[in-house]
Amino acid sequence: MCLAKSMADTYEENRQTCKYVHSTSRGHEAIQLATAFNLLPCDYVSPYYRDESMLLGMGFSPYELMLQLLAKGNDIFTGGREYYSHPNYRGDDKPNIIHQSSATGMQAIPTTGIAQGISFLEKIQSEKLRKGPNAEMPVVVCSLGDASVTEGEVSEAFQFAALHQLPIIYLVQDNGWGISVTSAEARTNNANEMIKGFKGIKRISIDGSDFAQSYEVMKNVVDEVRKERHPFLVHSRVPLLGHHTSGVRKEFYRTDEDLAKHALDDPGPKLRNKLLEIGIAEETIAEIEDAAAKEITHHFQGATAAPEPDPATVSDHVFIPTPITEETGEREPAGKEKVPMVDAALFAIREIMEDHSEALLYGQDVGRRLGGVFREAATLAEQFGDHRVFNTAIQEAYIIGSTVGMSAVGLKPIVEVQFADYIYPGLNQLVTEISKSCYLSCGKFPVQTLIRVPIGAYGGGGPYHSGCVESTLLTIKGIKIVYPSNSADMKGLLKAAFLDPNPVVMLEHKGLYWSKVPGTEEAKNTEPSRDYIIPLGKGNIVLDADEDLIESGETCCIITYGMGVYWAKAAAKNFEGRVEIIDLRTLFPLDEQLIIATVKKHGKCLILTEEQQDNSFSEALAGRISKTCFRFLDAPVEVMGALNLPAVPMNIVLEKAMLPNAEKVSERIEQLLTA
């Protein structure tokens, strides 16, 4: 406690040096230390941004914490990329800490995903989980501020933990404030009262400023969860003695009366008085306080003198290398039948789950009864069991965000969002947690997850089952986006996506699943061999132009993907030999080498997309092509997409009016070739 107080005092006294926004644990020290002292190296913990005392209790030195405070290059957590008290850690000497963001409460889902993964591993290899001299089972601790429990995603985590009885402890530190908003303004009840609505989560409310009480309660709770394997919520009442952050200072909005009231519960003086009562000498306590102050001065001087990060490292760790770099296996093995895309996906998942015991599949309606609304998971639960293929609630945020924790414990989750139009509730987890985890943990916690998303219009699907989301997803850095247009590519890309150690979103066009949309029969291919894999980032020439016509300058190229491949093929029949078609297959990473070489060869280019055109990925790509190929272009790069409407209409006539089709593409090719 003396160390934590001296750290806070030092930061306040050196505000110009401590220029990056930070919070301290002042007022929260007792419950944080009590928690840390009861954890084992086999455990997992997700501290929140005020948990520096917890980190001290786990064994991190003040110097290590200060390196992050000052964003120094040898910050062991993130190399100067993250805020203070935003740790991540892999090791055998302390509990593991996944990366989590500053977004309030967002750590609840990824951390519950850790407990979900541990619970799964208990079923298949419990002995491997047991560590330590007494072969203890791991527990998971998710630390939260009380204001965060109003977040809907926290409730999603509570719901899943309660339903599946996961070994997780939610430690809620309640200081009565959410920045400048009091608890009375913001919530009808505290976390201890709220959790009553989640049947199956045990609870207790304690005075978190009292170290003795906090230690006893946390010891009992950790021991119980370690043995009995069920969720628990500890509601800890604590004072807030410091600022919300160094940038949002207490004097901005708190009264002297409020500050004086909180000071009465300062854990430091409380513990000091308790020590005096039980006979510890005043001189001994004074020596501890003096030694702590000197230690912090020493550490702060060292951290201040530490080097800044090397600017050359700024782009490191966005992704970790994938093992899949070459196309392998047979694309068209003899004796195999043609299969629709949906079956190719099903067969690929089946083979993956046969070969990889760490693979799981979950999402809405993918379980035993239905096997997916498009039957894309049919029979998988029967073959692999309900523990590996199972339904979830309608919780897109949980479905996506839980993969962070699952991946951290060595599992390889494949999850489904039922329709692309419904991915938006999951974007928070995709943006704040998944996409940034590898980069902000300096490669310690890449998230290996495959997120399958049916996409696109398929004839009367209506405004909430027909949308395209690729441009939205492509603004998120740190994820890969795959978009196959036929069954062979579906199988080869899906396997590469699964084996990629980074997060991959696989967009699967519903209109191509069964080739029921007129003109898409060629989406059915011979099923590739079991070992067939296509590396991500490699486009494909699906139609060649005539070499003589290219030489004479009478050709153009179409760059497209998904349903656009079939509109382009149908239109090209009206211009024999004059159109070359590139199927991108992967939108990120993008095969820029193939794109640029093709555009330079023809001098005329049309980018074709099903998305609404304005401000789309396709328009951005057109700009990049125009800049790179400027000297080789014979006409401006054209883009053709859907009309710029807020939704796809239900009526098929209106849908047709909105979307591109072969006739519309033919008209645009004619204009381009005669430009």
Side-chain angles (χ1 to χ4, degrees), residues 155 157-166 170 191-203 230-233:
S155 293
F158 289 164
Q159 171 73 21
F160 199 95
L163 184 64
H164 295 278
Q165 289 295 284
L166 303 181
Y170 297 103
N192 184 58
E193 295 160 341
M194 172 191 175
I195 207 68
K196 293 178 186 178
F198 295 90
K199 184 178 179 181
I201 299 181
K202 293 188 70 172
R203 63 191 176 90
H230 60 70
F232 214 119
L233 184 138

Side-chain angles (χ1 to χ4, degrees), residues 232-388:
F232 214 119
L233 184 138
V234 177
H235 173 249
S236 172
R237 303 180 304 279
V238 292
L240 178 60
L241 303 181
H243 307 289
H244 168 68
T245 66
S246 56
V248 182
R249 303 179 64 78
K250 58 189 178 184
E251 58 265 23
F252 293 173
Y253 58 92
R254 295 178 68 182
T255 65
D256 291 341
E257 181 182 5
D258 173 67
L259 291 168
K261 180 181 177 183
H262 278 248
L264 295 175
D265 283 321
D266 188 334
K270 275 190 174 183
L271 181 57
R272 196 180 199 283
N273 291 335
K274 174 66 77 174
L275 294 173
L276 290 170
E277 287 176 14
I278 63 175
I280 305 298
E282 171 71 37
E283 294 79 9
T284 301
I285 297 174
E287 287 175 6
I288 293 172
E289 292 168 337
D290 183 58
K294 289 178 180 177
E295 182 179 347
I296 294 308
T297 298
H298 172 72
H299 284 311
F300 188 72
Q301 290 172 347
T304 302
E308 298 292 325
D310 180 353
T313 66
V314 69
S315 297
D316 292 352
H317 307 299
V318 177
F319 297 108
I320 61 174
T322 176
I324 308 303
T325 57
E326 301 291 336
E327 184 170 352
T328 59
E330 287 188 81
R331 185 177 176 92
E332 298 184 59
K336 287 267 194 169
E337 296 182 355
K338 287 188 175 183
V339 296
M341 278 181 64
V342 72
D343 282 355
L346 174 64
F347 300 156
I349 298 290
R350 178 183 295 154
E351 291 170 0
I352 286 169
M353 297 190 76
E354 287 171 347
D355 295 341
H356 299 273
S357 61
E358 69 275 25
L360 301 90
L361 172 66
Y362 57 96
Q364 296 168 34
D365 299 303
V366 302
R368 184 182 297 265
R369 293 187 193 89
L370 186 59
V373 294
F374 298 101
R375 303 294 288 159
E376 73 281 3
T379 73
L380 293 178
E382 287 89 337
Q383 182 174 351
F384 299 106
D386 296 326
H387 65 301
R388 291 186 67 192

Side-chain angles (χ1 to χ4, degrees), residues 21 34 56 75 77 102 185 188 200 208 212 300 324 460 477 574 602 651:
V21 173
L56 289 171
D75 158 30
F77 303 124
S102 289
E185 291 176 89
T188 59
F300 188 72
I324 308 303
K477 311 311 173 190
N574 300 320
H602 297 278
N651 182 276

Side-chain angles (χ1 to χ4, degrees), residues 17 34 42 55 68 73 108 148 230 239 287 333 356 382-383 462 476 497 503 589 642 669:
T17 301
C42 64
L55 298 174
Q68 188 172 55
S148 71
H230 60 70
E287 287 175 6
H356 299 273
E382 287 89 337
Q383 182 174 351
I476 305 169
I669 293 172

Side-chain angles (χ1 to χ4, degrees), residues 4 23 102 219 309 569 591 623 670:
S23 295
S102 289
K219 182 180 187 307
K569 280 185 172 182
D591 193 345
E670 180 70 37

